[in-house]
Amino acid sequence: MKTFAALALLLAASLASAQQPDRTLTLLQRLADAPGPPGAEEAVRAIMVPEMKPFITEPLRYDGTGSVIAQQGTKGPRIMIDAHMDELGGMVRRVTPNGFLTMQMLGGWLDQALVDQRWIIIGSKGPVHAVTGIRDIHIVPAEERTRVFSRDSLYLDVGAKNAQEVFAMGVEAGDPVVPDSPFTVMNGTQNYLGKGWDDRIGCAVLLEAMRRTSAMPHPNQLFYVATTQEEVGLRGAKAASQLVKPDIGIAIEGGITGDTAGAHPEESQVKLGAGPGMFLYDSSTIPNRKLVAFTRAAARSASLPLQADLVQGYGDDSAEMQASSGGTPTINLVVPVRYTHSHNGIVNRQDFDRTVDLVVAMLMKLDAAAVADLRDFTPKP
C-alpha cells in the first residue's frame, strides 16, 4: 500500500512538472509577437525593462533613441553585450481618397516578400489589421503572371471605403506597420516559427545571459544593451556606444542559414540546429582576430559547437561598437535563422540555448588581462 502511494505521489509530481510553463518558450513568444519596427520599439522595451531590472546593480539608463542600458558590476573592463529591439516593418505614408494606404518600408525587404501579406498598423486607437492585396489571376495578363511587383505599386487594404473611414480607425500618415505572423511551435519540434527573430532572438539571449551572470562572480562591468533602429542604420547602437564606452563589444544577432532548398554554398554555410554562429566578415564589420580566437577557445572549453560564416549584404550593431572608444574589439555572434527579413522565420531552441552558453562562457573568461591582450596591437619582436 505504501509503495502504491509512493508511486502515486511520484506520478503526480511528474505530471505537475510536465505542466509547468517553459519560461524561455514564453519569453520567446512574447518577444516575437511584440510589435516593434524601427523608431517604434515601445512594446519590446516594455518587455525588456522588467525582465532586466531584477539583475542590475546600477539604475537602468536610456539613450536619446530609446535604447536600454542595464549594468552589472562597477569595476573592471567595460563589456558591452548588444541586441537590437527593432524588426523589419513599415510606416503609413499616405491615405488615398478611396481608403487604401501606401507604405514606406523600413529595413531591407525583398519586394517579392511583400505581396499578399497580412500586416498590423499601430494606430492611435489600437491595432488595425491590413493586407497588401494581390491582383486576381483571372485578370492578370499572361506576361505579368511571373513578374515581381515593386513595393511602390502595393497598397494596404484595411477594409475602408474612403479616407474618412481610415481616419476613424485611428490611422494616419506616420503610423508604424509590422508583419502579422503569430509565434508557432512547429509541429511538436524544437523549431519555432515567428516574425522578427532578427533580432528578438538576440534580445532573448541577452536577457537569459544577464539572468545567469547576475549569480556568477566576474571581474567586469557588463553592459547589457537593447538598442533601437538597427534596421535603418545602426542608430541606437551608435548612441548607446557613446554612453557605454566599451572596451569589448559583443553583438548578438539573428544569423542566416544556407541549408534551405535552392541555397548556394557561397551565400552561407550555417545550418539550423548546428549551434551558434560567428561572423568572420560582413558588410559593416571585420571582427578583431584575437577576439575570434578567444571565442573559438571559449566554445571549445565549454564543449559547444561553433559555426563560422562570411556574409555579404549584412550589417549589425558591432560596427558602431567597433568605431567607439577609439576602436573597440568586437564580434558578432548569431543564432541561426531561416528566412530572415520576412514575415515567417524559423529558429531552433537548441541553437538558442547553446548561444546563451557561449556568451556566458566568454564573459566568465574575460578579465583585465584578457581585455588588454585583445586590445594590444603592438608588433611583436
Side-chain angles (χ1 to χ4, degrees):
M1 196 67 166
K2 289 183 180 180
T3 302
F4 179 79
L7 287 173
L9 287 172
L10 183 62
L11 178 60
S14 177
L15 288 172
S17 176
Q19 292 170 358
Q20 289 295 315
D22 182 332
R23 177 179 53 83
T24 300
L25 182 65
T26 300
L27 176 64
L28 289 170
Q29 180 170 3
R30 290 172 62 211
L31 285 169
D33 286 346
E41 298 91 352
E42 291 87 349
V44 187
R45 190 162 46 245
I47 296 172
M48 298 297 290
V49 167
E51 292 286 341
M52 288 172 153
K53 277 187 175 179
F55 308 117
I56 57 177
T57 59
E58 299 296 310
L60 286 176
R61 289 188 290 164
Y62 304 86
D63 70 20
T65 74
S67 300
V68 187
I69 302 171
Q71 184 175 347
Q72 287 180 356
T74 57
K75 296 181 180 179
R78 303 169 70 86
I79 315 301
M80 181 170 169
I81 310 99
D82 163 291
H84 66 90
M85 296 184 287
D86 59 311
E87 63 185 296
L88 251 63
M91 177 186 294
V92 174
R93 181 190 294 147
R94 184 173 65 90
V95 179
T96 68
N98 57 350
F100 291 95
L101 297 79
T102 60
M103 179 165 51
Q104 171 65 48
M105 305 315 302
L106 300 176
W109 286 99
L110 291 171
D111 283 5
Q112 54 261 49
L114 301 175
V115 178
D116 196 32
Q117 294 285 2
R118 296 186 181 196
W119 306 82
I120 295 176
I121 303 168
I122 307 172
S124 61
K125 296 181 180 179
V128 175
H129 293 271
V131 62
T132 40
I134 187 170
R135 292 184 68 195
D136 196 294
I137 182 66
H138 299 95
I139 59 174
V140 173
E143 65 271 16
E144 293 186 17
R145 291 179 182 178
T146 58
R147 180 188 302 175
V148 175
F149 292 92
S150 73
R151 63 193 62 196
D152 291 332
S153 68
L154 302 178
Y155 290 85
L156 288 168
D157 187 342
V158 295
K161 295 192 296 291
N162 51 51
Q164 287 68 35
E165 287 192 359
V166 174
F167 299 141
M169 295 176 186
V171 173
E172 61 183 4
D175 283 345
V177 183
V178 290
D180 184 1
S181 181
F183 174 94
T184 304
V185 177
M186 296 196 72
N187 308 305
T189 70
Q190 288 291 295
N191 293 332
Y192 304 153
L193 178 71
K195 69 172 183 63
W197 288 131
D198 177 11
D199 185 29
R200 302 297 161 66
I201 194 69
C203 290
V205 171
L206 186 144
L207 290 174
E208 180 62 16
M210 184 179 182
R211 184 185 68 83
R212 288 171 55 178
T213 57
S214 69
M216 304 170 74
H218 56 79
N220 306 299
Q221 301 177 73
L222 303 181
F223 295 87
Y224 289 96
V225 183
T227 62
T228 59
Q229 299 191 43
E230 189 269 357
E231 297 292 357
V232 290
L234 321 180
R235 297 170 188 175
K238 182 174 184 177
S241 296
Q242 292 171 353
L243 292 177
V244 173
K245 299 178 174 58
D247 296 311
I248 299 293
I250 302 173
I252 308 170
E253 268 281 7
I256 299 169
T257 66
D259 60 355
T260 58
H264 301 289
E266 287 302 313
E267 293 174 347
S268 174
Q269 303 291 321
V270 171
K271 297 180 180 179
L272 196 72
M278 170 180 64
F279 274 25
L280 303 178
Y281 167 90
D282 67 45
S283 301
S284 66
T285 315
I286 297 177
N288 176 289
R289 288 172 59 82
K290 288 184 179 180
L291 189 50
V292 168
F294 180 92
T295 304
R296 284 176 165 150
R300 284 195 302 270
S301 68
S303 300
L304 294 168
L306 180 62
Q307 306 185 78
D309 211 354
L310 295 82
V311 179
Q312 301 183 35
Y314 185 110
D316 64 271
D317 280 351
S318 66
E320 289 298 341
M321 290 189 284
Q322 187 179 62
S324 70
S325 303
T328 299
T330 62
I331 194 78
N332 184 35
L333 303 179
V334 299
V335 181
V337 181
R338 282 184 183 161
Y339 321 123
T340 65
H341 285 217
S342 66
H343 273 59
N344 301 288
I346 300 174
V347 296
N348 175 268
R349 174 62 180 271
Q350 192 173 51
D351 288 343
F352 168 80
D353 292 336
R354 286 171 165 175
T355 304
V356 175
D357 291 341
L358 176 59
V359 171
V360 172
M362 292 175 65
L363 295 176
M364 291 302 106
K365 287 182 174 295
L366 285 170
D367 56 22
V371 170
D373 179 67
L374 292 171
R375 295 180 63 92
D376 183 9
F377 286 88
T378 305
K380 299 297 187 287

